[in-house]
Amino acid sequence: MSDSKLKIAFIVSEVEDIIKTGGLADVAKALPLAYEALGHEVCIVMPAYQVVIDQFNLTQHGEFTSSMRQFKRYEHDLGNVKVHLIGHTCFDREGLYAENNVAYSDNGERFGLFSAAVIDVLQAVNFQPDIMHCNDWHTGLVPFFVKHNQQQFAEGFFANTKTALTIHNAAFQGSFELHEIPMMQPYHQALHFDQHPHINMMKVGIAHADKITAVSPTYAQEILTDLGGHGLHYVLQNRSSDLKGILNGCDYSQWDPTTDPFIPAHFDINDLSGKAKCKAALQAKAGFTDSPDTPLIGMVCRLTAQKGFDYIVPILRDLMAHNLGLVIVGTGDPLVCQQLADVSRMHPTKFKFIHGFEPELAHLVEAGSDFFLMPSEFEPCGLNQMYSLAYATLPIVRNVGGLSDTVVGIDQNPQEATGFVFDSPSPEALLICIRRALLLYREQPDLFVTMQKRAMETKFTWSDAAIQFEALFQRALH
Ligand code: GLC
């Protein structure tokens, strides 16, 4: 049975190449394609945001009714995978989840409607899935609706369907009062409320999915604890025998320094000279002087506390006393933007904050930096540290989540080291770790190059991840 072909519906709120706000979208493209490459029949179901309809000039492929509302269905192709996009006026907005950093107040209703409509759209297109692979809180109600449908129609369309929920970030849970989600009123009984009718969509998903995964083995352990569980540890502990950590892969077709169209020069493990050209280009972009021997640290991320800014910002001035360059690229929390912009203005020859997010820039930072900074407070998986390794840019990371599973610190294991790892979520620990990296760069250049080459040899493939999911799905089905 292990080589039998599965029908997998991948349910998600964003997909790379269609619309993206974060790492979730990278996974939502790569993993379905990896399933397809293993021979499974796959479709993706996502909301039809108006911006997507406009950008791709999508035409309607039919209408269907769900929760007593009319929905439109659109289609798009992602490689060989069919994408069904569910259209409703609640997705005719500028943002996906928020505008000006403020979440839409009716997100519960929006993603509740989407999740219920998934059940109906799959029937409309006659895609009868063995597995519905759901992702994060936006799709947390899907496993509930599948179970509900199975109870109502024992011989129905979803009678043999199993559900899996992948947790990409347990800090975002989609928590609402029942009255904020009018479409859920009819399910009042089925949801077994006690006194207080409150819906936490991630929790509902965890309680009803047949299998639960987290995006790295270490994060799967962390979310079972009081400290790392974002308040979900009790409900996860109840499901721990169905919880598994499966490490995300890296899309090496997009992140390959030998072919990357965004970078000014290519390089590989045998010849790193192209990387020096990328460094010069990044220094020029940042307005720094061209200085091959000055260590250059890059960082690309959403500007949120999760990414460690509570301990980066306090040490910026200390760092400016060193001979280095630091480039931070990102968008997000206005206060963090302000703080970074202030320091950038005061130290224009050493620190550049670029407020924005263009793929060209992200690729240039990965290729042109000597070190990549990723000191996250928590990190379910993290993708940028994998890109850094592929580009011989040594990661400086905190020992959490997927960062622990992908980077080997010089002081943990010198023979296998690919980066620099610190433990305590404090400015002091981060500063010591960065100084350790700078010292090695200056004093042990040969070791630095050895680590760069080892980093480039480290591979995390989507096909490995897909094989692990396949085994998990088979267990759920038998
Ligand atoms: C979320 C997590 C990140 C993970 C990504 C893809 O953005 O914060 O760690 O890599 O999802 O799973």
Side-chain angles (χ1 to χ4, degrees):
M1 189 68 195
S2 69
D3 54 9
S4 76
K5 197 169 146 181
L6 298 175
K7 273 183 119 167
I8 304 171
F10 194 90
I11 326 292
V12 71
S13 58
E14 55 183 87
V15 180
E16 162 95 10
D17 288 355
I18 299 178
I19 193 155
K20 168 173 177 172
T21 70
L24 173 63
D26 297 71
V27 178
K29 174 189 170 193
L31 190 51
L33 291 178
Y35 289 153
E36 202 261 340
L38 289 177
H40 302 299
E41 192 181 338
V42 188
C43 75
I44 296 174
V45 186
M46 66 180 289
Y49 305 103
Q50 188 61 43
V51 283
V52 172
I53 299 174
D54 295 343
Q55 186 189 339
F56 295 96
N57 214 354
L58 299 180
T59 52
Q60 201 182 315
H61 275 253
E63 275 193 335
F64 63 96
T65 310
S66 176
S67 308
M68 294 186 298
R69 289 163 178 86
Q70 280 301 107
F71 289 83
K72 293 174 180 163
R73 187 177 66 80
Y74 299 85
E75 280 183 14
H76 190 61
D77 292 319
L78 189 77
N80 290 330
V81 171
K82 177 72 66 202
V83 186
H84 301 287
L85 300 101
I86 296 179
H88 187 269
T89 47
C90 70
F91 295 117
D92 298 355
R93 311 242 172 112
E94 224 170 84
L96 276 64
Y97 323 113
E99 246 166 78
N100 304 323
N101 238 14
V102 179
Y104 294 125
S105 59
D106 58 348
N107 271 347
E109 182 78 350
R110 296 170 76 224
F111 289 98
L113 286 173
F114 168 69
S115 298
V118 168
I119 302 287
D120 296 294
V121 85
L122 290 175
Q123 296 183 78
V125 299
N126 198 24
F127 188 99
Q128 190 167 25
D130 298 305
I131 295 289
M132 285 165 80
H133 185 171
C134 310
N135 295 275
D136 270 354
W137 72 265
H138 322 95
T139 62
L141 294 183
V142 172
F144 166 77
F145 287 128
V146 171
K147 287 256 151 72
H148 190 72
N149 189 285
Q150 289 168 341
Q151 278 156 11
Q152 281 188 310
F153 312 104
E155 304 294 317
F157 194 79
F158 296 98
N160 300 314
T161 298
K162 299 289 178 193
T163 56
L165 174 71
T166 293
I167 301 175
H168 296 261
N169 192 337
F172 300 105
Q173 300 174 8
S175 207
F176 307 93
E177 300 296 316
L178 180 60
H179 70 81
E180 293 179 284
I181 320 183
M183 55 109 17
M184 289 307 283
Q185 292 290 350
Y187 304 96
H188 195 278
Q189 296 283 319
L191 280 161
H192 306 298
F193 291 113
D194 8 287
Q195 314 287 354
H196 189 64
H198 178 93
I199 298 183
N200 177 316
M201 294 194 175
M202 187 74 108
K203 246 188 213 175
V204 173
I206 292 167
H208 291 87
D210 294 294
K211 295 286 175 193
I212 303 149
T213 74
V215 287
S216 69
T218 298
Y219 193 57
Q221 293 299 318
E222 289 169 353
I223 53 179
L224 290 171
T225 66
D226 187 9
L227 186 65
H230 314 275
L232 292 174
H233 50 294
Y234 288 122
V235 33
L236 283 161
Q237 282 164 13
N238 283 335
R239 298 297 319 273
S240 61
S241 59
D242 289 309
L243 169 67
K244 186 174 165 60
I246 298 180
L247 189 72
N248 283 338
C250 172
D251 185 349
Y252 294 106
S253 69
Q254 300 281 317
W255 294 93
D256 178 353
T258 67
T259 56
D260 190 330
F262 293 126
I263 59 177
H266 293 141
F267 54 95
D268 61 35
I269 198 160
N270 300 314
D271 180 5
L272 287 168
S273 54
K275 186 166 172 70
K277 295 199 181 101
C278 295
K279 179 169 175 177
L282 180 55
Q283 285 171 326
K285 179 92 195 169
F288 303 161
T289 47
D290 177 3
S291 162
D293 297 328
T294 303
L296 186 56
I297 305 177
M299 179 167 185
V300 182
C301 66
R302 279 178 291 119
L303 307 176
T304 63
Q306 180 197 333
K307 299 295 174 182
F309 285 99
D310 288 347
Y311 33 97
I312 296 172
V313 171
I315 62 162
L316 282 176
R317 286 185 177 78
D318 293 299
L319 282 180
M320 294 301 108
H322 292 271
N323 176 30
L324 54 70
L326 173 61
V327 182
I328 299 183
V329 177
T331 58
D333 186 337
L335 179 65
V336 177
C337 289
Q338 177 72 47
Q339 288 168 323
L340 297 180
D342 286 349
V343 183
S344 187
R345 227 172 295 116
M346 284 165 62
H347 299 276
T349 57
K350 288 188 171 178
F351 177 42
K352 179 72 179 174
F353 167 55
I354 303 177
H355 186 223
F357 181 81
E358 294 100 47
E360 294 80 357
L361 207 49
H363 284 247
L364 182 61
V365 171
E366 289 290 6
S369 304
D370 298 300
F371 300 99
F372 193 86
L373 190 58
M374 205 163 167
S376 309
E377 205 172 298
F378 68 94
E379 195 60 72
C381 179
L383 297 167
N384 278 306
Q385 82 280 15
M386 301 193 199
Y387 306 152
S388 304
L389 292 168
Y391 282 65
T393 301
L394 302 187
I396 298 173
V397 303
R398 196 164 97 76
N399 196 8
V400 281
L403 300 174
S404 303
D405 293 332
T406 50
V407 180
V408 181
I410 183 80
D411 297 317
Q412 293 172 309
N413 183 346
Q415 274 73 47
E416 307 276 321
T418 52
F420 303 84
V421 180
F422 68 103
D423 284 302
S424 158
S426 68
E428 297 75 25
L430 173 59
L431 188 58
I432 290 170
C433 189
I434 295 177
R435 285 181 172 151
R436 173 83 177 89
L438 296 175
L439 194 66
L440 186 140
Y441 180 85
R442 206 181 59 203
E443 306 278 323
Q444 295 170 282
D446 293 345
L447 177 56
F448 183 79
V449 173
T450 305
M451 286 172 71
Q452 284 186 306
K453 295 193 168 173
R454 195 179 290 132
M456 292 182 96
E457 276 168 350
T458 312
K459 292 278 180 255
F460 308 98
T461 68
W462 275 112
S463 113
D464 283 348
I467 288 168
Q468 291 190 59
F469 274 105
E470 182 183 57
L472 185 80
F473 296 160
Q474 294 291 2
R475 280 203 295 283
L477 288 163
H478 295 286

